[in-house]
Amino acid sequence: MKMFARAALAAAMLAAVPLAVAQPAAAQGTVKFGALYPFSGTLALLGDESFRGFELAVEERNAAGGLNGQKIEFIKGDAVDPNQAVGEARRLTSVDKVSAIFGTYSSSLSLAATQVTELANVPYFELGAISDPITERGFKYVFRTNATARDFANRMVDSIIEAIAPALNAKPGDLKIGIIHEDSLYGQTVSGYQKSRAKEKGLNVVEVLPYSAKSVDLTPVILRLKSAGADVVLQTSYQNDTVLFFRQMKDQGYKPKAVMGAGGGYSTRDTMQAVGAENMEGALDVDFTQYNTNPKAAPGITEFAAKYKAKYGIEPRSGHSLANYMGAKVFFDAIASAKSTDADKVRAAVLAVDIPVGQTATGWGAKFSEQGQNTRAVPFLMQWQGGNLVTVFPVDAAVAKMKTGIGAN
Amino acid sequence: MDVLIQLVLNGILLGSMYAIISVGLTLIFGIVRVVNFAHGEFLMVGMYAAYLLAAKFGLHPYAAAVPIVILLFAIGAAVQRFLIQPLLGAEEHIQIFATVGLSTALVNLALLVFGADLYSIPPSAAQGTVMVGGFSLVKGQLVMFVCALALVAGLHLFMQSTALGRAIRATAQNRTAALLMGVKVDQIYVIAFGIGAACVGLASALVMPLYPVTPTIGTYFVLTAFVVVVLGGMRSMYGAFFGAMIIGLVDSLSGYYIAPDLKEVVYFAIFLAILIFKPTGLFGLGRGTE
């Protein structure tokens, strides 16, 4: 309701400004962006969390004088599903005539909306969706700061070699690896990259088991892993199936040496609470940067969390806001250096961005490929320890030492 | 061999969960002759009720079963009285649309009130396991097994030896004849729908300790429940019970020996085979039992 009132007020002001003080306002100038996120529906929680990061970046920029002296003004678009994402992208580009759109959290929404903006020659800045094809379609004006599904999968497999095997004093090739995943697009994609990376690195994958995320019983999956003697389990999952897997793993007395998730269900506090902190202890997770990260490797992360709390009154609900904040800042800087919102000039400026790893609030660097993909976005390895998700790898971003095993013994 | 026995035990316990969820659906279908597509959402409502009672009053779901069963009876009766009854004269598919609509409305209502997050109750003893001869059995599932047996036995007694039970059976067998014998058929329908919903209320209290609740949790269970009902011969409570056991075993064994993502394929193949070769179900009474 409050949100609606605020939006209505903003709309009223927008309508009133050109009438009352049209000339001075236009002379001073504002730059209009679209903020396209799922604000309602099932994706709303993390959609809104993502938007908050963008909103904080805008406020910070405006407080510091805006973009080349112009205030940033944004118009929200509510993308509940791919159809509506297309509709809202059309409205933002043709009716509201925004200079660029920022979004989107969900990959299917981003894939749909970018079709519209590309045809309209409006830059689209993706700050949170991980599906690889978003920046693999040869689009000129689609740019993405965050890591992709392939980056996630590679980091998971590489962590076995670089972090888990040394901790176990084992040769990576000797460890038996089980890959399990829910069987929708998300699980299929990430596990596909995991399989090819594991093969490339010569690891021994003993089981690959897809299952429906709506399963009410994962005991067969667990018994298969147990029979195969899997030491390390990689899981790509949502919340419900993560909870079920951990509960039933305990029921069946299966104790692998390490279990690692690809974000999703592994990152949320709800999952940890449903599983129980003592059962979740030691679960590894590759995801966007979370808040228990060494600020030396992610300068600005502590300040961001403080600003977030001051504005919204609660701790950040996930790393999505941070990723969106970091991405928005990178693109604001690029647009500022382009000194124009012309799409081709913005593209040239984005491709010229060169930030080394470890100098943004997420700890990522920024350097964009011809396809618009950030090649310096590295997801970190995190671990549940004492009911908190802490960064454990790479070492300079870590705040705790990684341990092996699952569940408090 | 050990794995096989563990899988069979799990299958039976899983089957008892499917049974306790499906019994209500069978009752509603067998007596009121309405395919209740909102059955999964009744389960969801019951689970949120169990969650709230646990979170606000610290009530263990097993203790909360009593108020939840009463609540679900009231909801079921109200749905029959105010949604289905006005449509009884209409064609059958209109009633199906009504329950599908109700299901969508309830899911979105839950989204509005609780959001897409999952809620679970604090871990309790029900999540623990007991070891029997080297095989682990989840306590909460054992409770479900006992309750499923008790529920079917209790309903059997109720149907066979009370006046109301006889009236319900009479209505199920022949609505017109029952009406002529002075049975208040409309009232019987309201009560029967209420009992069916109350059964799923009991199920939700038993499921809550083992599964966290989300607005879409109903869809996790309801498709299986429909398979169980058809397998059991549509209206037979006992058929549904054994149908559920079969599905539980198929689920458990095919998940291990074939592939976890193909277990639905296996039991839907069985489902189709039964529809083709024995449309009245494994335990059906044959055609013409109207």
Side-chain angles (χ1 to χ4, degrees):
Chain A
M1 205 55 220
K2 199 172 160 197
M3 197 102 114
F4 175 74
R6 209 182 290 161
L9 192 65
M13 279 162 68
L14 275 178
V17 164
L19 289 173
V21 280
Q23 280 327 95
Q28 238 183 20
T30 59
V31 50
K32 265 200 285 187
F33 294 139
L36 189 64
Y37 293 91
F39 289 108
S40 56
T42 43
L43 299 171
L45 178 75
L46 291 179
D48 182 55
E49 180 65 18
S50 302
F51 165 73
R52 287 182 174 184
F54 171 75
E55 191 178 30
L56 283 170
V58 170
E59 284 183 1
E60 190 180 298
R61 192 84 202 186
N62 279 343
L67 279 180
N68 295 329
Q70 292 183 310
K71 287 268 185 256
I72 300 171
E73 182 187 285
F74 61 81
I75 299 160
K76 282 185 176 184
D78 185 5
V80 175
D81 57 35
N83 278 332
Q84 211 180 330
V86 167
E88 290 287 77
R90 281 214 183 100
R91 175 178 68 85
L92 290 169
T93 51
S94 59
V95 179
D96 297 309
K97 304 224 180 300
V98 297
S99 307
I101 293 183
F102 291 73
T104 334
Y105 164 58
S106 156
S107 296
S108 55
L109 302 178
S110 180
L111 283 165
T114 46
Q115 306 270 12
V116 175
T117 55
E118 184 70 11
L119 284 176
N121 285 348
V122 171
Y124 194 102
F125 298 115
E126 180 53 60
L127 316 175
I130 67 164
S131 173
D132 289 81
I134 292 171
T135 46
E136 283 176 351
R137 295 169 297 169
F139 284 9
K140 262 179 91 180
Y141 306 118
V142 176
F143 309 97
R144 170 161 58 184
T145 36
N146 61 278
T148 69
R150 189 198 307 265
D151 297 328
F152 273 62
N154 289 353
R155 167 59 84 188
M156 290 172 81
V157 172
D158 294 354
S159 296
I160 298 174
I161 301 163
E162 294 163 16
I164 296 171
L168 293 169
N169 281 326
K171 273 196 226 131
D174 292 344
L175 291 172
K176 290 182 185 157
I177 295 157
I179 294 176
I180 61 173
H181 63 89
E182 61 85 30
D183 61 2
S184 78
L185 186 65
Y186 166 54
Q188 297 278 10
T189 312
V190 176
S191 67
Y193 292 130
Q194 284 170 350
K195 277 184 276 184
S196 54
R197 184 71 162 197
K199 199 171 168 206
E200 189 186 315
K201 298 277 177 182
L203 296 181
N204 178 18
V205 177
V206 291
E207 284 278 17
V208 178
L209 300 169
Y211 59 83
S212 158
K214 290 191 172 176
S215 277
V216 293
D217 182 36
L218 290 177
T219 315
V221 174
I222 291 157
L223 292 177
R224 280 274 285 262
L225 291 169
K226 201 176 171 184
S227 309
D231 301 306
V232 180
V233 178
L234 306 183
Q235 184 180 22
T236 308
S237 54
Y238 296 114
Q239 283 188 325
N240 276 307
D241 46 332
T242 309
V243 173
L244 195 58
F245 180 69
F246 275 85
R247 283 187 178 173
Q248 297 195 320
M249 192 161 58
K250 185 168 170 245
D251 294 342
Q252 295 303 325
Y254 173 49
K255 278 190 174 284
K257 296 184 176 112
V259 175
M260 196 192 306
Y266 273 69
S267 299
T268 68
R269 190 154 281 277
D270 289 340
T271 306
M272 183 274 294
Q273 275 158 354
V275 171
E278 71 284 2
N279 300 324
M280 197 84 186
E281 184 75 15
L284 294 158
D285 178 28
V286 168
D287 200 353
F288 287 170
T289 312
Q290 309 283 325
Y291 299 95
N292 288 312
T293 296
N294 194 333
K296 278 186 201 137
I301 189 169
T302 328
E303 292 78 358
F304 172 79
K307 269 184 199 160
Y308 186 107
K309 193 154 188 219
K311 179 160 173 71
Y312 303 108
I314 52 168
E315 304 284 339
R317 295 169 291 190
S318 80
H320 290 84
S321 48
L322 181 66
N324 278 259
Y325 168 80
M326 173 271 178
K329 279 183 69 167
V330 168
F331 290 132
F332 289 161
D333 285 342
I335 296 168
S337 71
K339 299 213 183 330
S340 160
T341 50
D342 173 72
D344 287 307
K345 287 183 184 151
V346 169
R347 176 176 164 87
V350 169
L351 293 189
V353 169
D354 186 359
I355 305 171
V357 169
Q359 299 203 356
T360 64
T362 49
W364 307 336
K367 175 81 192 160
F368 294 87
S369 70
E370 276 295 311
Q371 295 267 36
Q373 173 60 40
N374 182 8
T375 54
R376 290 185 189 158
V378 276
F380 292 153
L381 179 65
M382 287 156 282
Q383 187 167 44
W384 283 101
Q385 292 185 1
N388 288 309
L389 193 57
V390 296
T391 302
V392 293
F393 193 83
V395 179
D396 50 345
V399 288
K401 197 172 149 44
M402 191 189 83
K403 47 185 185 178
T404 55
I406 283 294
N409 292 313
Chain B
M1 195 60 204
D2 280 1
V3 172
L4 178 66
I5 297 171
Q6 180 74 59
L7 285 168
V8 168
L9 290 172
N10 281 339
I12 290 171
L13 294 182
L14 196 61
S16 60
M17 178 169 74
Y18 291 149
I20 209 160
I21 293 171
S22 311
V23 164
L25 191 63
T26 305
L27 279 181
I28 293 171
F29 184 75
I31 298 160
V32 194
R33 304 282 156 89
V34 168
V35 182
N36 178 24
F37 279 98
H39 199 69
E41 281 59 49
F42 285 179
L43 180 78
M44 180 264 294
V45 170
M47 286 178 76
Y48 275 116
Y51 166 74
L52 288 177
L53 287 170
K56 307 274 181 224
F57 303 104
L59 217 54
H60 190 279
Y62 292 168
V66 178
I68 293 171
V69 164
I70 295 168
L71 171 74
L72 265 288
F73 180 87
I75 292 176
V79 166
Q80 170 64 23
R81 176 66 191 81
F82 299 108
L83 188 69
I84 307 293
Q85 201 152 302
L87 299 174
L88 270 186
E91 287 175 55
E92 241 175 53
H93 62 258
I94 300 291
Q95 295 159 20
I96 291 179
F97 289 151
T99 60
V100 170
L102 177 66
S103 142
T104 311
L106 286 174
V107 169
N108 283 288
L109 184 67
L111 265 176
L112 204 67
V113 177
F114 295 97
D117 268 1
L118 56 81
Y119 289 95
S120 62
I121 56 165
S124 66
Q127 280 178 25
T129 52
V130 281
M131 297 301 286
V132 178
F135 302 104
S136 80
L137 303 173
V138 179
K139 286 181 198 157
Q141 289 189 325
L142 284 173
V143 172
M144 261 189 241
F145 181 70
V146 173
C147 286
L149 283 175
L151 179 67
V152 172
L155 283 171
H156 174 84
L157 280 179
F158 169 73
M159 291 292 185
Q160 297 298 328
S161 49
T162 64
L164 184 57
R166 269 194 292 278
I168 291 177
R169 278 193 297 140
T171 310
Q173 278 168 15
N174 193 323
R175 174 188 148 94
T176 321
L179 200 59
L180 288 172
M181 295 301 124
V183 174
K184 287 181 180 141
V185 169
D186 282 350
Q187 264 184 29
I188 294 292
Y189 281 170
V190 170
I191 292 170
F193 208 113
I195 294 175
C199 288
V200 83
L202 175 64
S204 57
L206 299 176
V207 167
M208 192 62 211
L210 301 179
Y211 295 91
V213 56
T214 59
T216 52
I217 189 76
T219 59
Y220 286 44
F221 295 96
V222 81
L223 212 52
T224 316
F226 276 109
V227 178
V228 164
V229 169
V230 171
L231 198 63
M234 312 282 195
R235 345 218 130 106
S236 156
M237 208 165 60
Y238 322 105
F241 184 83
F242 289 108
M245 290 298 160
I246 292 171
I247 292 296
L249 285 170
V250 168
D251 199 314
S252 180
L253 294 172
S254 61
Y256 184 85
Y257 290 108
I258 301 173
D261 60 331
L262 292 180
K263 62 187 183 188
E264 281 91 354
V265 176
V266 176
Y267 64 70
F268 280 107
I270 295 177
F271 177 72
L272 283 176
I274 285 175
L275 283 182
I276 293 166
F277 298 110
K278 202 167 183 313
T280 51
L282 284 183
F283 304 90
L285 306 169
R287 286 175 200 271
T289 49
E290 288 285 296

